């Protein structure tokens, strides 16, 4: 009899931990494991702000998928799922399209940057979710400093040395905190630029930064940003933007040539095309992570609305911590469906979040405690080393941190990512179909 095939879509926190769990739980030969993912690595996103700031080498935040010894990688993007025929359609990087059958399907395609109908946003904003975007944003900032250094006109120079970040969640807050430190240390390389020429502005419609944390930790993080001269504009949104101007809802206009958009995420486009029930843009699943009425299809992570049994009536937040643990739960339940072990509903009480603000400053809430300063920074570092799922990456990241403490940051810009590759739609594959095949909106 043919072995059952489990196909996992996405090698993020959810998909990667699910496959690690399946490799442990299923006896050798019990099932064929296949992973569909566009890259050959799992990206440890919490380190992206440090990648952008030149603390962590980009490759060190990328965990090689070849560590999954019993899983076959099918490189490419899943562009469609036929639930009746039980097949996934995959397009590889050369555009070749092929199908693969499954007995169990695990959907973990994560999320993409959520954009809104703000004039100029898609054309001029940059997202911050991928390695390509992190490397681009670092090089773009350096390129702007280089240009600004040669400008005599004060207004023109100000546009190149003003950086706007939208969204004061983890990604936006850590990015602005780390980059502000990076640029300050890089200034020595630009003889005509001074610290007072540089402006960092973070904009958020809410009334506090890092709103998922205890309000006192948010306050502390806000005080740290303000002590570093970061302008924090709360209760404001972007009304429109052009290549060199941002118009905010508080009536102000900012001349700037780089806007980083981190204001929320939407489930990867694949799940929206399945014709299955959705909740707030995420695929509806039960507490067992299966799609209702389809025990052969499981979804998890940012793409799925997983009921939070610790807070009845709500769904789990879109965090790495939940995605990783849902991966373990999905592995247990899929293995149980194949006759190995027992299924259980997903239940996880948040262990608390951490935010690294660079320069030995952090805020952390382990097990509902409130920790700030160097102690929080140490907890944050230890947490990342523990959570990185490969020993090689742990060692390299620890070495990166040690070097960053000893040496000044690299300020060369290698021009690795062309502007076009970092456009929001290109960098994050906001659509799973090439433009010609896309259905018209509405
Ligand atoms: C800059 C940044 C910092 C963050 N910091 C933190 C933090 O400190 N703590 C925290 O808890 N969370 C953090 N997050 C959020 C966290 O990254 C997400 O909640 C988590 O990655 C979700 O895991 P996932 O498995 O659902 O998706 P992802 O980790 O996003 O993985 C999805 C995978 O699926 C692949 N994929 C997508 N579409 C397809 C397709 N059609 N076919 C095949 N493969 C596909 C992608 O390439 C990717 O490999 C951060 C996010 C960002 C962007």
């Amino acid at each position: 009899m043919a072995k059952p095939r489990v196909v996992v879509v996405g090698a993020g926190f959810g998909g990667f931990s699910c496959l690690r769990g399946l490799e442990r739980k299923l006896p050798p030969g019990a099932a064929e494991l296949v992973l569909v993912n566009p890259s050959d690595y799992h990206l440890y996103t919490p380190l992206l702000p440090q990648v952008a700031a030149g603390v962590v080498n980009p490759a060190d935040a990328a965990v090689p998928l070849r560590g999954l010894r019993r899983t076959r990688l099918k490189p490419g993007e899943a562009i469609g799922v036929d639930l009746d025929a039980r097949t996934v359609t995959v397009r590889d990087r050369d555009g070749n399209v092929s199908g693969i059958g499954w007995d169990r399907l695990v959907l973990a395609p994560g999320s993409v940057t959520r954009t809104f109908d703000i004039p100029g946003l898609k054309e001029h904003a940059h997202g911050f979710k991928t390695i390509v975007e992190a490397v681009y944003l670092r090089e773009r900032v350096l390129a702007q400093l280089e240009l600004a250094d040669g400008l005599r006109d004060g207004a023109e120079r100000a546009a190149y040395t003003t950086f706007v970040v939208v969204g004061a969640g983890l990604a936006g807050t850590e990015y602005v905190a780390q980059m502000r430190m990076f640029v300050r240390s890089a200034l020595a390389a630009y003889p005509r630029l001074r610290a007072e020429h540089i402006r960092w502005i973070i904009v958020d419609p809410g009334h506090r930064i890092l709103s998922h944390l205890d309000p006192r930790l948010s306050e502390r993080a806000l005080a740290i940003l303000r002590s570093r001269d970061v302008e924090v504009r709360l209760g404001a949104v972007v009304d429109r933007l052009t290549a060199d101007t941002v118009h905010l809802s508080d009536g102000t206009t900012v001349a700037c040539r780089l806007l980083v958009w981190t204001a929320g995420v939407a489930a990867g486009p694949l799940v929206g095309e399945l014709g299955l029930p959705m909740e707030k843009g995420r695929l509806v699943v039960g507490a067992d992570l299966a799609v209702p009425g389809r025990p052969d299809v499981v979804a998890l992570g940012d793409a799925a609305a997983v009921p939070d049994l610790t807070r009845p009536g709500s769904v789990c937040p879109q965090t790495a911590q939940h995605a990783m643990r849902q991966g373990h739960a999905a592995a247990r339940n899929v293995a149980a469906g194949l006759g190995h072990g027992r299924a259980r509903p997903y239940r996880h009480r948040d262990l608390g979040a951490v935010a690294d603000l660079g320069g030995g400053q952090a805020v952390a809430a382990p097990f509902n405690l409130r920790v700030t300063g160097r102690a929080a920074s140490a907890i944050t570092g230890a947490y990342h080393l523990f959570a990185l799922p490969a020993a090689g990456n742990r060692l390299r990241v620890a070495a990166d941190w040690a070097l960053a403490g000893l040496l000044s940051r690299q300020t060369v810009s290698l021009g690795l990512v062309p502007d076009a590759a970092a456009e929001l739609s290109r960098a994050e594959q906001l659509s799973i179909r090439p433009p010609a095949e896309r259905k018209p909106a509405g």
Side-chain angles (χ1 to χ4, degrees), residues 9-10 12-14 36-38 45-46 77-78 108-110 128 170-171 301-302 318-320 323:
V9 174
F13 285 89
V36 180
N37 196 66
T45 50
E77 259 180 282
F128 184 48
L170 262 176
D302 282 6
Q318 288 163 299
T319 64

Side-chain angles (χ1 to χ4, degrees), residues 302-353:
D302 282 6
V306 178
D308 186 345
L309 297 185
T310 67
R311 297 180 305 143
S314 50
V315 294
C316 297
Q318 288 163 299
T319 64
Q321 192 183 122
H322 273 288
M324 200 158 62
R325 281 162 195 272
Q326 286 163 8
H328 296 312
R332 184 181 58 226
N333 293 355
V334 168
L338 297 174
H340 303 275
R342 293 197 18 216
R344 276 209 312 270
Y346 173 73
R347 174 191 284 272
H348 169 64
R349 196 174 291 283
D350 224 307
L351 298 176

Side-chain angles (χ1 to χ4, degrees), residues 9-15 36-39 41-43 45-46 48-49 76-79 108-111 128-129 170-171 174 270 300-303 318-321 323 354 384 432:
V9 174
F13 285 89
V36 180
N37 196 66
S39 64
Y41 60 83
H42 155 66
L43 176 60
T45 50
L48 279 186
E77 259 180 282
I79 57 168
S111 54
F128 184 48
K129 270 190 74 68
L170 262 176
E174 288 196 343
L270 178 72
L300 60 146
D302 282 6
Q318 288 163 299
T319 64
Q321 192 183 122
V354 294
H384 289 321
I432 53 174

Side-chain angles (χ1 to χ4, degrees), residues 224-246:
I224 292 169
L225 290 191
R226 290 201 161 133
S227 73
R228 295 180 186 169
D229 300 323
V230 174
E231 296 172 40
V232 184
R233 307 269 183 97
L234 295 174
V237 294
V238 173
D239 276 345
R240 63 194 165 91
L241 71 150
T242 64
D244 56 11
T245 316
V246 182

Side-chain angles (χ1 to χ4, degrees), residues 154-167:
E156 224 185 317
R157 185 181 55 217
Y160 280 99
T161 53
T162 299
F163 306 100
V164 176
V165 178
V166 184

